[in-house]
Amino acid sequence: MSKAPLSVPEIVEAGLCMGCGLCHGVAGGDRIGFVMTPEGRLRPVAREALDESTNAAINAVCPGVRVEGPEPARAAPEAELDPVWGPADGVVIAHAGDEEVRYKAATGGILTALGQHLVETGEVEFVLHVGASREAPMRSEARVSFDRASLLAGASSRYGPSTPLHDFHALLDRGRPFAVVGKPCDITAVRNVMRSDERARTLVRYCLALVCGGMSDLTKSQGVLDDAGMKESELGLFRYRGHGNPGPLRAETVDGRAHEEEYNALWGDEVGWALQPRCKICPDAIGEVADIAAADCWPGGGPSGEDAGFNAVLVRTARGRELFDAAVSRGDIVVDRTSSFREMDDFQPHQVTKKNAVWARYAGMRAAGLPTPATPRLRIEGLAREQSLSFLVREARGARRRAHAGRLGEPPASFERQWGCT
Ligand SMILES: Cc1cc2nc3c(=O)[nH]c(=O)nc-3n(C[C@H](O)[C@H](O)[C@H](O)COP(=O)(O)OP(=O)(O)OC[C@H]3O[C@@H](n4cnc5c(N)ncnc54)[C@H](O)[C@@H]3O)c2cc1C
Ligand code: SF4
Ligand code: SF4
């Protein structure tokens, strides 16, 4: 990584941005806008050239540039540090106590149940998370929920782009305690802010993460609509999963037509995920810096049918342990059984491969002249040392080849070049 901070266009064009939205608040005012690119990605565009100190402030918190690992001081007292899965003082299989939450949520409803627990017990005033856009339900947007119903309305996974942290600094300005539920990169961004911002340290009481295989470009969702003969302007509902585990993708038009696709038809083969470049080189897609991380737990890595909804849950920090135990005591969460890091390997083989490969992928990117994120305390070099030379060479060469072919970088984002306008 060069000494001079990367500019926002450099972060985007290097393929490091995942569109979290945080730089909007760091730059202040309205100096950064967001566009949906023709590739189907939400990306920042500076309305004016930003000075070096603003770029440095963005680099310090941007989860494309800085991905710190867990801070030992936050760890739960009994936490073990697994080389692949990071810290946890226990892995359990669990689900929401409320059957409606369990049914409507992505998996077993753990994240929604924890959010509901926090607002109902008054531990936080609201939860920042993500839901379907009310005007354009194929799109996803940040949601601030103060109650049980709003949290439930935002339950389930949104696999397309969103900018959950676009108004994060404005939320800090409210001066009220809150929790953040998000992807691991969203939580990385929040922890980056907490490092230098006393308000964030005080007000963000809990960080809860979903374990994440990567975010799909909006082209993936558009492809579903095209196949169904629906137009985005006709939609009244676009749900990626939930209403069962995993539940189908369901699109409904306002004039009463409906289309469903099974989870495996869309997500069964990783080749068809249409992932943005940053996800392919993600050094922490498993929520290592969250207080609690929740995942799917299908043996072998994918569903063989529908089930009642079960999450694998990693309780990572001391605060996470207190919250989880309180939610279990109140009946908001039900624990089914204990699990283990090695069972996580079976549930999430793609995460294990990525974690083992990411250091070599960075070597390939650097050989092609691309910058790579700083990754202190994420153990990726140590994991690489455990791999065979042939694996590392293959991963590094593959990354270098994709970088040279422009597939690990991105085209410039601009107001002139937007989704539907080129
Ligand atoms: C892009 C993506 C990729 C995923 N890949 C994997 C994977 O590889 N392996 C795995 O085990 N699980 C993956 N999941 C997570 C899984 O789908 C469940 O979200 C997770 O098991 C938690 O289930 P739950 O029932 O507790 O969640 P719920 O109770 O349904 O709560 C989910 C919460 O996450 C928030 N949320 C949903 N989408 C987003 C988003 N795009 N950005 C920020 N916040 C969001 C919602 O607002 C809600 O608060 C992925 C999820 C997403 C969004
Ligand atoms: S990752 Fe987030 S903070 Fe970094 S450039 Fe992209 S939108 Fe901005
Ligand atoms: S794979 Fe990593 S960068 Fe991509 S959405 Fe998930 S956590 Fe964010």
Side-chain angles (χ1 to χ4, degrees):
M1 180 89 58
S2 65
K3 284 269 187 323
L6 296 172
S7 66
V8 167
E10 283 170 338
I11 296 171
V12 171
E13 288 165 47
L16 299 180
C17 175
M18 80 296 292
C20 72
L22 188 63
C23 49
H24 170 259
V26 180
D30 208 12
R31 295 207 287 168
I32 289 183
F34 277 76
V35 297
M36 180 67 78
T37 69
E39 292 74 36
R41 300 165 189 157
L42 282 163
R43 292 293 178 258
V45 181
R47 295 185 200 277
E48 59 189 68
L50 302 176
D51 55 60
E52 185 157 323
S53 69
T54 305
N55 284 336
I58 291 172
N59 279 223
V61 297
C62 167
V65 175
R66 188 152 198 89
V67 195
E68 294 214 4
E71 292 172 30
R74 286 188 196 281
E78 308 289 318
E80 277 179 52
L81 184 71
D82 184 74
V84 172
W85 288 99
D89 83 341
V91 187
V92 293
I93 307 299
H95 62 267
D98 180 321
E99 283 302 321
E100 185 186 10
V101 172
R102 187 182 189 189
Y103 175 69
K104 289 186 173 171
T107 304
I110 287 292
L111 294 177
T112 300
L114 288 170
Q116 290 176 332
H117 175 90
L118 287 170
V119 292
E120 285 178 348
T121 56
E123 283 237 36
V124 303
E125 191 166 295
F126 58 88
V127 176
L128 171 62
H129 61 138
V130 160
S133 158
R134 290 177 179 90
E135 293 78 37
M138 189 172 80
R139 317 276 173 127
S140 306
E141 61 188 20
R143 183 178 284 250
V144 175
S145 287
F146 290 81
D147 58 36
R148 190 173 185 84
S150 175
L151 278 154
L152 184 57
S156 195
S157 293
R158 304 290 305 172
Y159 289 129
S162 60
T163 53
L165 303 177
H166 186 274
D167 295 322
F168 182 73
H169 289 81
L171 292 178
L172 292 178
D173 290 343
R174 294 188 187 188
R176 307 299 302 161
F178 64 105
V180 181
V181 176
K183 301 178 298 300
C185 53
D186 302 327
I187 304 303
T188 289
V190 170
R191 293 291 195 210
N192 283 348
V193 178
M194 287 167 95
R195 218 168 294 117
S196 59
D197 187 326
E198 176 60 34
R199 283 186 316 163
R201 278 198 294 279
T202 308
L203 297 174
V204 180
R205 297 282 164 86
Y206 295 93
C207 289
L208 309 176
L210 46 89
V211 165
C212 179
M215 194 159 57
S216 297
D217 296 335
L218 198 66
T219 49
K220 173 88 178 166
S221 316
Q222 183 62 46
V224 172
L225 282 197
D226 293 344
D227 291 348
M230 292 175 170
K231 293 198 177 86
E232 192 187 353
S233 57
E234 300 174 319
L235 288 177
L237 176 110
F238 193 93
R239 188 168 64 225
Y240 286 88
R241 64 181 281 188
H243 290 239
N245 182 39
L249 180 150
R250 184 173 172 89
E252 288 175 11
T253 59
V254 286
D255 65 4
R257 285 171 291 141
H259 173 78
E260 289 197 346
E261 293 217 22
E262 293 304 316
Y263 179 93
N264 276 336
L266 289 168
W267 314 109
D269 182 355
E270 201 169 333
V271 175
W273 288 2
L275 294 185
Q276 54 180 346
R278 170 63 172 77
C279 298
K280 295 174 184 158
I281 55 137
C282 190
D284 176 12
I286 57 177
E288 290 205 29
V289 293
D291 294 303
I292 295 175
D296 291 314
C297 53
W298 297 301
S304 53
E306 291 289 321
D307 64 45
F310 301 90
N311 288 101
V313 184
L314 296 108
V315 180
R316 296 195 178 283
T317 65
R319 286 188 72 68
R321 171 49 62 199
E322 281 169 26
L323 168 60
F324 191 78
D325 289 348
V328 171
S329 299
R330 194 168 177 265
D332 294 320
I333 285 177
V334 175
V335 175
D336 299 290
R337 65 174 176 86
T338 56
S339 182
S340 66
F341 292 125
R342 299 294 65 85
E343 200 177 12
M344 289 299 296
D345 294 347
D346 180 43
F347 297 152
Q348 309 278 330
H350 57 295
Q351 298 290 4
V352 179
T353 303
K354 184 151 69 179
K355 199 84 175 186
N356 287 334
V358 77
W359 184 85
R361 290 179 188 174
Y362 290 171
M365 288 171 68
R366 283 193 287 266
L370 284 182
T372 56
T375 58
R377 298 191 303 282
L378 277 174
R379 311 172 306 282
I380 59 171
E381 187 173 353
L383 281 168
R385 282 207 203 95
E386 305 290 311
Q387 311 309 312
S388 70
L389 189 59
S390 60
F391 173 83
L392 297 175
V393 169
R394 192 175 64 243
E395 291 292 338
R397 281 191 180 150
R400 189 182 57 183
R401 196 177 53 249
R402 286 195 296 278
H404 278 310
R407 286 188 287 128
L408 273 181
E410 293 190 17
S414 74
F415 292 113
E416 289 73 39
R417 205 180 142 273
Q418 294 200 41
W419 177 267
C421 297
T422 51

